């Protein structure tokens, strides 16, 4: 709930909900804010809070997955330490495309660090993979478990437009 209150995300989601319903991209009875909360509850295993400079990691994750998630979130901490993610966030963006590009850069970099953490013990490097789909399918139980969240029942029940928007920075970044 705190995450959706930040940056007036709930207002943005309500606007997206109207658009999705108008375009027929989601059922009229579905509540996008509630759907988003459900997805966060299921998908969020950790995050780096750039305002508090704190890394939060779910304690219910198996230890091997904690390592994977921690590598991703530690990459965000390093990005913030070296490039001040807070400043860019507070300055705002010229357009939604600029914001999407920024998120793709930040999340793609952290996802690459996470993939590298998983592939290094196998003597592999993430840049040798053909695409991010190959990284998700890498021969690692942890990578499959992390990628498996994108195939959960809750995720599949969300409107396709929301799934694409949430996955974009991680997959295409």
């Amino acid at each position: 709930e705190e995450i959706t209150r930040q940056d007036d995300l709930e207002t943005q989601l309500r606007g997206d909900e109207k658009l999705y319903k108008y375009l027929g991209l989601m059922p009229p009875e579905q509540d996008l804010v509630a759907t988003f909360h459900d997805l966060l509850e299921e998908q969020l295993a950790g995050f780096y809070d750039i305002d508090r400079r704190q890394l939060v990691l779910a304690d219910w994750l198996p230890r091997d997955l904690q390592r994977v998630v921690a590598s991703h979130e530690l990459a965000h901490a390093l990005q913030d330490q070296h490039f001040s993610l807070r400043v860019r966030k507070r300055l705002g963006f010229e357009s939604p495309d600029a914001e999407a590009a920024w998120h793709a850069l930040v999340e793609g970099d952290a996802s690459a660090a996470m993939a590298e953490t998983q592939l290094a013990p196998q003597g592999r490097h993430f840049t040798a993979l053909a695409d991010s789909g190959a990284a998700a399918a890498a021969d690692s139980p942890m990578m499959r478990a992390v990628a498996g969240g994108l195939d959960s029942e809750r995720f599949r029940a969300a409107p396709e437009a929301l799934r694409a928007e949430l996955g974009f920075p991680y997959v295409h970044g």
Side-chain angles (χ1 to χ4, degrees):
E1 289 176 1
E2 182 179 333
I3 289 170
T4 57
R5 281 194 303 269
Q6 289 177 349
D7 303 324
D8 208 18
L9 184 57
E10 190 167 326
T11 301
Q12 179 185 337
L13 287 169
R14 290 291 176 213
D16 289 349
E17 178 180 3
K18 287 178 186 175
L19 177 64
Y20 293 167
K21 288 178 180 180
Y22 179 78
L23 295 174
L25 298 175
M26 70 182 284
E29 68 279 359
Q30 189 169 18
D31 181 327
L32 191 60
V33 172
T35 301
F36 188 80
H37 279 247
D38 283 348
L39 287 175
L40 280 183
E41 182 179 296
E42 175 189 68
Q43 301 285 320
L44 195 63
F47 64 93
Y48 174 71
D49 184 325
I50 63 175
D51 294 317
R52 294 183 182 136
R53 288 186 157 172
Q54 290 180 333
L55 189 146
V56 178
L57 188 63
D59 63 359
W60 50 262
L61 286 175
R63 196 166 211 30
D64 287 344
L65 282 179
Q66 285 181 356
R67 181 175 169 262
V68 173
V69 174
S71 68
H72 182 98
E73 301 310 329
L74 284 169
H76 288 316
L78 289 169
Q79 291 165 339
D80 187 36
Q81 181 180 10
H82 292 281
F83 305 110
S84 187
L85 299 179
R86 290 177 311 284
V87 170
R88 183 64 186 127
K89 180 182 172 187
R90 289 188 181 121
L91 290 175
F93 300 93
E94 301 80 41
S95 70
D97 287 344
E99 184 173 7
W102 183 80
H103 283 291
L105 175 66
V106 170
E107 294 301 345
D109 183 45
S111 294
M114 182 178 72
E116 187 67 16
T117 299
Q118 288 306 296
L119 294 171
Q122 302 168 19
R124 297 169 69 195
H125 191 274
F126 80 98
T127 59
L129 300 174
D131 58 31
S132 54
D139 211 11
S140 160
M142 275 101 24
M143 288 301 283
R144 286 192 299 276
V146 169
L150 300 177
D151 193 37
S152 72
E153 188 175 328
R154 281 185 188 177
F155 194 78
R156 286 191 313 267
E160 187 175 344
L162 179 62
R163 293 191 320 257
E165 185 176 339
L166 291 175
F168 172 79
Y170 300 92
V171 174
H172 297 288

